[in-house]
Structure formats: structure tokens, C-alpha cells
Amino acid sequence: MDFYGFYTGKIFDAYEYLGAHVQKGGASFRTFAPSASRVALIGEFNGWRETPMEKVHDGNFWEARVENALPGMMYKYRIYGGDGRCIDHCDPYGYGMELRPNTASIIRSRDSFRFQDHTWMKKRSNCADRPLNIYEIHFGSFRKPSGEPDDWYTYEEMADILIPWLKKAGYNYLELMPLAEYPSDDSWGYQGTGFFAPTSRYGTADQLKAFVNACHQNGIGVILDFVPVHFAVDDYALARYDGTALYEYPHSAVGQSEWGSCNFMHSRGEVRSFLQSAAAYWLTEFHMDGLRMDAISRAIYWQGQPERGVNQNAVEFLRYMNYGLKSLFPDVILSAEDSTSFPGITKPTGQGGLGFDYKWDMGWMNDTLDYFRTAPSYRTRDYHRLTFSMAYYYNERYLLPLSHDEVVHGKATILQKMYGDYDGKFPQARAFYMYMYAHPGKKLNFMGNEIGQFREWDEKREQDWCLLSYPIHDGFYHFMADLNHFYLDCPALWELDYERDGFQWLDCHQEEKCIYAFERRGRRERLVAVFNFSDKAWKMFPLEVPGARELRPVFSSDLEQYGGSCREPGKKITGNSHVFPVTAPPYSAVYYIVK
């Protein structure tokens, strides 16, 4: 290992040196604990009796080699602080861990699985000029073998269940909520204890690799939720690892997050190297196609509060990490969950930006969902909440998210957020989703959104798949699947996502009618999208489309098979001087190909 690089926060491969490494006839163990007075190795291989670890290199690292330590065996580090007190810790760089509430690390061989995804790896990209339709899931609650909260499918079993659903439903990327080991189910993985260990809830590292491999063989990319800002407070893990605040801030004012977890101290080079190495580990060892970085606003600003100022060390960490990751993996996707107005999130690092590929557009999400919560009579007042997103859209490369955060904790599900009674929510949701998929920017939907789920997400229960036995929900699912496939196959909706030539308002001043119309362009295709978000029908509405001879309807939210009133999208419309008479039923959307 490059020790100078480790201390200065420059390396991405610390896991090659630290942790437990299988060797011929045994394993070697190394840990970084500079303030420890003594460290011992305990595990199955020595009857949980202490094997002393020796100081190596500069005295800040501890090492032991055990002849009969084999893959699958459990171990811990018994670390004595400067005051003589000891705590048994899991390995910060451990490749496997026990199922909670147990806390031991597990020896894993890193070279026991062989990927067969060369074709996928060779062609993948960050999808800037390709379709990117992401399905976000919580691995343990997509489906369950039984109704028990602690009953989960394994990684391999989920491949057979999930992949056919993704292909049928029209998603080409999967985003997994955090899989790095964590102790509390209620944290959903966002308060981690094992940053290099796939959670044992669903199996082993090799089983996760088999899952990713199967996704790639079926043309599906996999993005992992990565948490570089905070970690769990459990004393067996990173907290006060060597008897001192090694990974976290020593001061409570900035040392604890709003979620009660410990904030990483990004000013320490060793912490930067730890996190950078963890990010590179998932991309290298598991062939992940990208990382969604959680809570980036809490890294940019102290405690996520702009009034407390910019955390320059953390900002520099993000910039350097992204620069390094893109140098090593130029074709992966790095996206930021960030709700701030901090500039340059997706600007290249060489130009002073943070170097993310995408930023979640939280403003679009909040404005749009608030609009659809509102009664139609008030949407005239709120009309420009839907036009505002394009006023700032070109400042960053945005991704439109409808994530797990929008369907929990009393927020109501996406469908439930629509105004009105049960039956009235479905046509609005169909029109809403057509607006989302025509709007510039990549797409993300959380599991259950596609079947019109009304129950808020609960990590202890699987999704309400029984809803598909009801015609109105089955129709909504088929609408979503058809819309997803249409998006994937229509270059006008993604080819020029981040170029000004890819979008043009055609009419955004029909405040009293709540009608909106815009054009999306690809390199050889034009598509016009018309929306009526009022509860009134508008017939023969004049729409000017410069340079068009006719509009051919190709997709409608109001088809009978989806629960609407029309048998077909409509007939082609010819215009006079590029003005076309358009009919818009209540709560409807139509896509037209321009000829």
C-alpha cells in the first residue's frame, strides 16, 4: 500500500492491504488503530482466545497471520485503548459480517467468483445520451418468501424474481438501497457498520456478484446506494475504533448527524482513503455500474445547513473522490442526492465542479408533486410551478427522482398524492407520469409506484402485488410498462437531454386552462407532448408547432386498456400554417411524432 497516499487521502485501494486476506494455508489480518495500546485477534480459528497482533510499518498498523484461518470463519479485533479498556470490533475493511444482532466479521475469498459479463462491461456508459430508466428497490421488501419481516430471498434467488419483472416493466437500470452491512433494519442501510461487507441478510459476497452478473447478462445496469457522510454509532464498529475518534469528529457539535449517527471526519486523509477505497471496492469487486451518493448536502454544508457555511474539507474530498473514480472507471454513473443550490455538482472536476454525472432534481420533484396534490381549481394559481424547472434545468445534469423518501413516513405514495377520490387519482397519475417521462432528465421510480400502490412503503413487508388482481391497478401497471418501453425506444426523449436543442416550450401560458405543450428533439426525431391537468375537456385547442406538417399521436394516457375512455391514441392532425387543432380530455396527456 502507498502509506503516504493513505495518510494524505489519495488512494483507492486500501482494502488490498487492510482487512483479512486469504493466503495459502491461512489468512493475514491487518488493521489501522494508531491510538491503541494493544490489539489482539480473536476468532473461530483460535477458539476466540487472543492472538497478539504486532505493530508494523510506522506503528499505526497491526498485523497477524494465522495458519488455520479459512474462508467462512468469524473473527474480531480486540482493541485496547490508551486507558487499558478494550472493546471487540468488527473489521472496518472486512469483506463479510454476521447477521445482526451478531457482530463478527467473516473471512471471505475475493477471487472465488468469475464474472461472465464482458459484453456488458465493454459497452456500458454514463448514459448521458442514452435512456436511463432506474427502478429503485429495497432488496428485502420487493418480495418475501413469507409474511415474516426477517424472511428474505437471497441475492441469487432475487435474480430469478426481479430480472424478469424489470425487463417486462421496461426498466434498464436497477438502483439498490444500501447493501453495505448495517445493524438496524429500520435504517434501511443508511447507518452502516461494514462498508466493505455485503449485508448477510441476503447472502454472501459471491451471491451478490452472481446477482449483478445475471443483471448484466440481461442488459440491466446496477447502481448501488453509497453512504459517504455518516455511519452507525455502534461501539463494535467504527465509532471510537481505537479508543479515540478515529473516523468521526471528536466534537459533538459537528460529530453527530441529524439521524443520530456519527459524521465522517473528511479532513483526515485516512478517512478519505477509507471511503474512496470502499467506493472503488464496490465498483471493482462487484462490477457495480454506478454509485448514488447519499446526503451530499450534509457533506457540502456543515450539518447540511448553508447558514453554517461550506465544509471545504468535505467538498474537496467529494471532488477528489469523484475525480479518482472517473479516472479508474470512466463509464460508471455517479449521482448525488443533493437538495441545495451549491453550484457545480455535475460540473467536471477539472473545471472546479464536484464531478458527479447527475444530481437528483429535488426541486422538480417537490414542485410537481405539490402541484398534483392541489385541487384543479387552484392549479391555475400554481400553473408555473411546472414551468419553473426548465428555468434552472441547464445549470446541472439532472435526474428526476421519485424515490423511497417520497412514499414513507406519512408522506403518502405517489398515487395517493394525486388530488381527489380513488378513481380520480388514476387518470391524474397517468398524465403526471407522461409529464415526467417527457420532461428532460433521466428517470427514477421506487418499487410499487408502477402498480399504483396506496400503502406507504414498509421495509418489513413486501409490495402489495395483490393489487394487480384489480383491473384499475392492472391497467395502471400496463400503462407504466408501455410508457417505460416507449421511453426506452424513443430517442427524442433522451438523446439530447442536456442540450438546449433537445427541449422547447410550445405553449406554457395557458394558466386558465392548465394546458402545457412542449417539444422534445433527438438527432433525427421530434416529439410533441400535450398535457391537460384540469378537470375540463378542451376541444380544438390551437397549438403552433413550427416546421411541422402533421402530428401523429403515438401514446396517450387516456386509452381504455389503461382505464381511460379512448380506444386509440387518436388520429393524425394536419395543420394550417403550422397550427394544429388539438383535443385534450380532462387529466390527460398525448405524445405526437412530428412529420
Side-chain angles (χ1 to χ4, degrees):
M1 184 174 73
D2 175 2
F3 291 97
Y4 178 77
F6 176 78
Y7 286 123
T8 57
K10 301 298 183 184
I11 68 170
F12 291 76
D13 62 352
Y15 64 90
E16 296 281 7
Y17 177 78
L18 291 159
H21 296 268
V22 176
Q23 298 174 341
K24 186 176 181 180
S28 63
F29 301 82
R30 299 187 191 94
T31 192
F32 176 68
S35 295
S37 61
R38 182 158 63 93
V39 179
L41 176 67
I42 60 175
E44 288 185 281
F45 39 77
N46 62 8
W48 298 98
R49 294 185 296 272
E50 291 189 4
T51 296
M53 300 184 75
E54 302 296 329
K55 285 188 176 184
V56 294
H57 189 58
D58 56 4
N60 292 332
F61 298 84
W62 302 77
E63 181 179 72
R65 191 180 191 286
V66 180
E67 291 298 328
N68 60 339
L70 303 175
M73 287 185 170
M74 296 181 290
Y75 70 98
K76 295 182 180 181
Y77 298 127
R78 180 162 291 168
I79 300 180
Y80 291 81
D83 58 3
R85 291 184 295 180
C86 71
I87 294 179
D88 294 345
H89 286 268
C90 64
D91 188 344
Y93 287 83
Y95 301 143
M97 283 186 68
E98 280 188 287
L99 177 63
R100 54 92 180 109
N102 299 319
T103 61
S105 294
I106 299 175
I107 302 171
R108 298 291 187 205
S109 173
R110 283 175 34 220
D111 59 359
S112 55
F113 182 86
R114 293 289 180 267
F115 278 93
Q116 298 173 316
D117 60 351
H118 176 74
T119 300
W120 168 269
M121 296 293 284
K122 188 175 180 179
K123 72 175 184 178
R124 72 177 182 178
S125 77
N126 69 357
C127 295
D129 60 351
R130 298 183 188 179
L132 179 56
N133 196 24
I134 303 169
Y135 190 71
E136 184 196 19
I137 74 162
H138 174 262
F139 210 95
S141 57
F142 176 74
R143 285 192 185 273
K144 285 183 171 293
S146 70
E148 297 300 319
D150 291 355
D151 194 12
W152 307 288
Y153 286 108
T154 67
Y155 294 115
E156 285 184 303
E157 289 170 338
M158 275 289 283
D160 295 331
I161 296 168
L162 182 57
I163 291 172
W165 179 259
L166 295 172
K167 294 173 73 173
K168 182 180 178 183
Y171 296 96
N172 64 341
Y173 271 74
L174 176 67
E175 183 170 307
L176 304 170
M177 291 172 67
L179 292 181
E181 192 61 84
Y182 57 101
S184 173
D185 294 351
D186 294 339
S187 82
W188 311 332
Y190 291 100
Q191 296 192 21
T193 50
F195 279 70
F196 293 79
T199 177
S200 53
R201 289 166 177 81
Y202 318 125
T204 66
D206 281 356
Q207 288 177 310
L208 176 55
K209 290 176 183 179
F211 172 83
V212 175
N213 188 63
C215 286
H216 288 173
Q217 290 178 327
N218 283 274
I220 296 168
V222 184
I223 298 169
L224 182 66
D225 214 333
F226 183 68
V227 187
V229 178
H230 58 101
F231 60 91
V233 299
D234 302 72
D235 61 2
Y236 69 83
L238 296 181
R240 295 189 63 82
Y241 181 71
D242 63 354
T244 68
L246 181 61
Y247 289 91
E248 67 271 40
Y249 289 94
H251 308 294
S252 59
V254 292
Q256 196 169 70
S257 76
E258 65 189 272
W259 301 284
S261 47
C262 297
N263 286 327
F264 278 112
M265 188 173 180
H266 296 107
S267 58
R268 290 195 68 149
E270 306 96 310
V271 172
R272 296 188 187 196
S273 291
F274 172 81
L275 290 169
Q276 290 163 184
S277 297
Y281 168 78
W282 293 102
L283 297 173
T284 301
E285 298 293 323
F286 295 90
H287 286 202
M288 295 295 176
D289 301 294
L291 299 173
R292 176 265 191 187
M293 308 262 187
D294 177 64
I296 291 303
S297 62
R298 273 65 175 180
I300 293 174
Y301 296 106
W302 290 101
Q303 300 294 75
Q305 300 170 11
E307 61 271 20
R308 297 185 70 168
V310 174
N311 183 341
Q312 294 291 351
N313 287 314
V315 167
E316 182 54 38
F317 155 71
L318 291 172
R319 182 177 291 118
Y320 186 82
M321 178 173 65
N322 288 344
Y323 168 79
L325 291 176
K326 294 301 279 189
S327 297
L328 294 167
F329 314 98
D331 50 4
V332 301
I333 293 169
L334 302 178
S335 62
E337 184 212 14
D338 173 41
S339 57
T340 75
S341 58
F342 188 82
I345 300 295
T346 59
K347 193 175 181 179
T349 57
Q351 299 175 24
L354 294 190
F356 287 98
D357 293 292
Y358 301 109
K359 172 178 174 171
W360 278 25
D361 195 343
M362 312 298 276
W364 171 88
M365 179 271 297
N366 285 314
D367 286 343
T368 304
L369 291 179
D370 284 347
Y371 178 91
F372 278 91
R373 287 187 186 98
T374 306
S377 58
Y378 293 102
R379 289 178 184 173
T380 58
R381 176 198 64 193
D382 297 335
Y383 181 88
H384 287 290
R385 297 196 77 162
L386 295 195
T387 64
F388 179 63
S389 60
M390 292 309 300
Y392 64 80
Y393 175 78
Y394 297 104
N395 294 340
E396 304 279 1
R397 287 197 301 274
Y398 283 108
L399 182 153
L400 311 185
L402 296 176
S403 73
H404 64 278
D405 278 329
E406 310 318 315
V407 297
V408 293
H409 298 325
K411 290 185 177 180
T413 66
I414 302 302
L415 185 66
Q416 183 69 1
K417 285 179 171 70
M418 302 295 114
Y419 173 81
D421 61 16
Y422 180 82
D423 289 336
K425 293 179 184 296
F426 285 89
Q428 292 182 82
R430 294 194 301 267
F432 159 75
Y433 271 108
M434 285 188 65
Y435 164 72
M436 174 184 179
Y437 275 76
H439 191 288
K442 309 308 179 184
K443 324 299 178 189
L444 180 144
N445 261 297
F446 186 61
M447 62 182 187
N449 289 350
E450 77 277 20
I451 61 174
Q453 185 150 309
F454 271 81
R455 176 182 60 82
E456 291 172 342
W457 171 58
D458 179 353
E459 76 280 353
K460 299 177 180 65
R461 297 172 56 183
E462 74 170 21
Q463 301 307 101
D464 292 339
W465 303 112
C466 60
L467 291 175
L468 292 173
S469 63
Y470 295 88
I472 194 168
H473 286 273
D474 183 66
F476 187 76
Y477 160 70
H478 282 92
F479 161 77
M480 287 297 299
D482 289 350
L483 177 60
N484 286 337
H485 284 288
F486 183 88
Y487 165 77
L488 294 178
D489 295 336
C490 182
L493 293 180
W494 40 261
E495 208 166 37
L496 302 179
D497 254 337
Y498 304 105
E499 299 180 31
R500 292 185 181 274
D501 290 344
F503 175 90
Q504 180 181 356
W505 283 111
L506 298 176
D507 199 330
C508 60
H509 291 288
Q510 296 298 326
E511 289 86 349
E512 296 306 312
K513 293 183 173 64
C514 292
I515 283 179
Y516 304 78
F518 57 75
E519 180 179 326
R520 293 300 311 279
R521 291 193 179 194
R523 295 187 179 93
R524 290 182 291 275
E525 183 178 68
R526 299 173 65 188
L527 181 140
V528 165
V530 179
F531 308 93
N532 177 11
F533 296 139
S534 77
D535 57 359
K536 299 179 177 62
W538 304 104
K539 296 184 178 180
M540 309 297 284
F541 175 79
L543 178 66
E544 182 177 0
V545 184
R549 301 188 307 274
E550 68 177 37
L551 301 181
R552 180 167 59 87
V554 289
F555 200 91
S556 170
S557 68
D558 198 38
L559 294 181
E560 285 183 352
Q561 68 231 45
Y562 305 143
S565 60
C566 301
R567 292 186 176 181
E568 57 183 24
K571 298 179 180 179
K572 68 180 181 180
I573 307 172
T574 56
N576 182 16
S577 299
H578 313 306
V579 177
F580 298 83
V582 173
T583 296
Y587 302 140
S588 69
V590 180
Y591 294 161
Y592 299 90
I593 291 295
V594 177
K595 298 294 183 180

